[in-house]
Amino acid sequence: MDLILNLMDGVSMPAVSNAWIDVYEPATGAVLARLPDSDERDVELAYLAADRALAGWKAMGREGRSNVLLRLAQLIEDDLEAFAQLESKDNGKPLALARKVDIPRAVANFRFFATAILHFPSEAHVMDDVAVNWTDRQPIGVVGCISPWNLPLYLFTWKIAPALAAGNCVVAKPSEVTPCTAHRLSTLCARAGMPSGVLNIVHGLGPKVGAAITAHPGIPAISFTGGTRTGAEIARVAAPMFKKLSLELGGKNPVLVFDDCDMEEALSTTVRSSFTNQGQICLCGSRILVHERIYARFRDAFVSRVEQLRVGDPTSPDSDLGAVVSRDHMEKVLSYIDLARTEGGKVLCGGTRVQLEGALSGGWYIAPTVIEGLGPQCRTNQEEIFGPVVTLQSFTSDEEAIALANSTPYGLAAVIWTTDLKRSHRVARAINAGIVWVNCWMVRDLRTPFGGMKQSGVGREGGVDALRFFTEAKNICIKL
Ligand code: NAD
């Protein structure tokens, strides 16, 4: 069994409490590793180390920091296969997905922000012959980064890369459900030339470690990705301390399929946008809205493709879906399928746990599930399920499609399928979501603003937005 350790001031160590928490392998249900059950004492040690490292890290300048992050990216890339195997084992996701998306994207996050910081401009505003203003952007200091379990290394690096590039030192907390790849990353930092204390990783439970980071008076900025309820708790604690907050929260994303769409593309991509990573991506579409003229045709073709998806061993190239992340999560998703039935929904396919054989018999698998017959206001269509479950609803006009799309408390992402250029512009602008894809899904340019409206979050990550978040702007006005 593997032992996960905290990274404190450049040293791998257990928690002060010396207590441990079991980490499970979703594919088998067996214990995979143990992680430190850290608390506010570990957060304090991490904070002190980060604070000591600040001046040196800032003094390395943009180029020095950029070089460290580029070396770290290279070290992860050189170790890609081991990282991918570990991510798949820890999370239950297909190994092929970890190889193709999760780990390459973690590498790309470091490369992107290592170079973005070299091009990060300061604005100047000249007032004719009166004065010149220029915007000085300094690192904030010690910042907190808290990340979830669905894309463990991918979202962990999406936060720490811009934070570090901008010159901050970091106290980071990966999800306790999937801590393995963050631990592996911690073993590479010194080899990349990162000074001790610049990145500190404190493992453990959210209400202990995450809460201690949020409440720490020396940590003035928190970047958080996770559930809306946790985000609200973080905001409640951080607001009276006037902390800077970036909150990337839940979603209930609509997919709008108009009757002029390219049916083949809409079908194949909607299968992916529904069930990639077992539906556990915040950007997955979970409410599929289809024009009534093509509803029956789309539904029948969609269901027949979903029925062909194979749920199985995450390491097998034949598996389209692996396991969901934990027993608790599996039970939550199955309870939503039961709820959908009680609300009058008709399960068109899936709807049950999948029981595999042999070593995988204790694993947490769910058949990809499609439900129809539910109205927009029922809980199944309002609450985030975050698993391999989607619903189908029909609409008769653009206005109705837009109203349905906007009918939840969330506003993270949306997908529109249409070949009408005017409609694509009009509908995209009318949807209350931070990210809208037209005739595609998950096409990501790291320079674009990433984040949600309404209960899907506050602030934007990505590109210049992330570098602005992790710096404090100061206007310096000089009389001419
Ligand atoms: P979660 O909110 O349970 O946990 C996220 C992180 O917060 C974990 O590290 C957890 O330990 C920590 N945490 C828990 N309680 C805390 C507290 N009181 N104070 C501080 N930290 C605390 O979320 P999860 O179950 O790990 O992830 C799934 C959720 O994340 C879904 O709702 C999904 O939509 C969301 N998500 C959003 C995005 C996005 O970009 N908007 C991306 C991925 C996932």
Side-chain angles (χ1 to χ4, degrees):
M1 193 200 308
D2 283 333
L3 216 52
I4 310 279
L5 293 167
N6 289 336
L7 177 66
M8 295 284 200
D9 207 5
V11 181
S12 297
M13 57 170 67
V16 174
S17 68
N18 212 19
W20 301 89
I21 301 166
D22 287 338
V23 181
Y24 294 90
E25 179 182 358
T28 62
V31 174
L32 166 68
R34 291 197 305 168
L35 85 159
D37 185 6
S38 312
D39 57 35
E40 73 280 0
R41 292 170 294 177
D42 304 277
V43 170
E44 180 61 17
L45 290 175
Y47 164 74
L48 291 173
D51 193 49
R52 280 193 301 274
L54 259 180
W57 184 236
K58 197 174 157 195
M60 282 177 73
R62 295 174 184 222
E63 283 192 19
R65 297 196 297 270
S66 172
N67 287 335
V68 170
L69 298 180
L70 289 173
R71 282 197 293 270
L72 190 52
Q74 191 59 51
L75 288 170
I76 301 171
E77 196 167 51
D78 294 345
D79 200 22
L80 194 145
E81 182 57 24
F83 266 104
Q85 301 251 1
L86 198 55
E87 199 72 298
S88 163
K89 220 174 167 51
D90 198 14
N91 175 276
K93 68 178 67 217
L95 176 56
L97 187 68
R99 276 189 190 130
K100 195 168 146 232
V101 178
D102 291 72
I103 310 305
R105 175 56 192 277
V107 172
N109 287 342
F110 278 119
R111 292 217 170 106
F112 177 82
F113 285 108
T115 48
I117 192 64
L118 302 177
H119 305 271
F120 184 40
S122 297
E123 305 89 329
H125 300 91
V126 182
M127 303 166 67
D128 296 326
D129 295 332
V130 182
V132 59
N133 297 278
W134 71 277
T135 314
D136 184 28
R137 293 186 192 277
Q138 301 269 350
I140 295 173
V142 178
V143 299
C145 296
I146 304 174
S147 54
W149 49 255
N150 63 323
L151 302 165
L153 192 68
Y154 172 153
L155 291 176
F156 185 68
T157 54
W158 180 235
K159 298 187 175 303
I160 64 174
L164 294 170
N168 302 283
C169 291
V170 174
V171 178
K173 190 202 119 34
S175 170
E176 63 274 30
V177 185
T178 53
C180 292
T181 46
H183 170 65
R184 194 173 184 90
L185 170 77
S186 72
T187 65
L188 301 178
C189 292
R191 272 169 60 202
M194 187 181 286
S196 298
V198 165
L199 172 63
N200 304 276
I201 303 179
V202 188
H203 290 282
L205 301 175
K208 282 191 191 176
V209 178
I213 294 172
T214 307
H216 197 291
I219 302 179
I222 308 284
S223 174
F224 169 80
T225 299
T228 294
R229 200 174 301 160
T230 316
E233 170 61 13
I234 290 174
R236 187 188 68 75
V237 174
M241 302 169 84
F242 306 109
K243 294 195 180 203
K244 228 176 160 182
L245 285 184
S246 169
L247 302 174
E248 298 294 337
L249 310 176
K252 190 75 182 172
N253 307 316
V255 175
L256 290 73
V257 186
F258 289 93
D259 59 354
D260 60 4
C261 72
D262 178 324
M263 190 71 145
E264 176 49 39
E265 276 195 50
L267 277 167
S268 59
T269 306
T270 305
V271 171
R272 281 197 306 114
S273 69
S274 304
F275 300 112
T276 301
N277 207 37
Q278 298 71 248
Q280 303 165 133
I281 301 182
C282 54
L283 304 168
C284 279
S286 54
R287 295 179 297 135
I288 304 170
L289 315 173
V290 188
H291 194 283
E292 66 166 2
R293 268 200 288 273
I294 58 165
Y295 182 83
R297 191 154 62 94
F298 182 92
R299 176 197 58 201
D300 296 348
F302 182 68
V303 168
S304 106
R305 286 177 196 221
V306 175
E307 280 171 339
Q308 284 162 34
L309 294 174
R310 293 151 303 181
V311 179
D313 182 352
T315 61
S316 162
D318 295 333
S319 301
D320 300 299
L321 282 79
V324 298
V325 79
S326 67
R327 173 179 289 281
D328 281 357
H329 192 58
M330 176 183 72
E331 282 166 3
K332 177 190 147 186
V333 174
L334 291 173
S335 79
Y336 268 105
I337 299 172
D338 287 345
L339 173 72
R341 288 194 177 98
T342 2
E343 288 183 318
K346 180 174 171 201
V347 175
L348 300 174
C349 64
T352 54
R353 180 178 181 176
V354 175
Q355 191 65 56
L356 299 183
E357 310 269 283
L360 306 177
S361 60
W364 304 310
Y365 301 89
I366 299 178
T369 300
V370 182
I371 301 168
E372 74 168 354
L374 290 170
Q377 291 308 322
C378 68
R379 283 182 55 204
T380 310
N381 274 329
Q382 287 288 316
E383 298 177 16
E384 185 183 45
I385 301 175
F386 212 54
V389 180
V390 296
T391 62
L392 290 167
Q393 297 172 70
S394 69
F395 63 83
T396 54
S397 66
D398 289 14
E399 288 61 39
E400 192 189 358
I402 292 165
L404 284 172
N406 288 339
S407 67
T408 77
Y410 295 104
L412 186 57
V415 185
I416 298 170
W417 290 99
T418 178
T419 51
D420 180 332
L421 185 62
K422 281 190 179 165
R423 171 183 278 152
S424 70
H425 281 289
R426 195 174 60 243
V427 176
R429 297 199 69 215
I431 290 181
N432 297 326
I435 302 148
V436 178
W437 279 291
V438 179
N439 298 329
C440 58
W441 176 70
M442 275 287 268
V443 176
R444 289 278 295 120
D445 180 329
L446 303 191
R447 294 169 299 182
T448 58
F450 179 92
M453 297 181 182
K454 302 195 278 183
Q455 292 189 21
S456 290
V458 177
R460 294 291 182 271
E461 297 186 312
V464 138
D465 290 279
L467 294 176
R468 288 197 172 153
F469 175 77
F470 284 116
T471 50
E472 198 69 82
K474 182 192 294 173
N475 184 59
I476 299 178
C477 177
I478 302 170
K479 186 168 183 286
L480 288 175

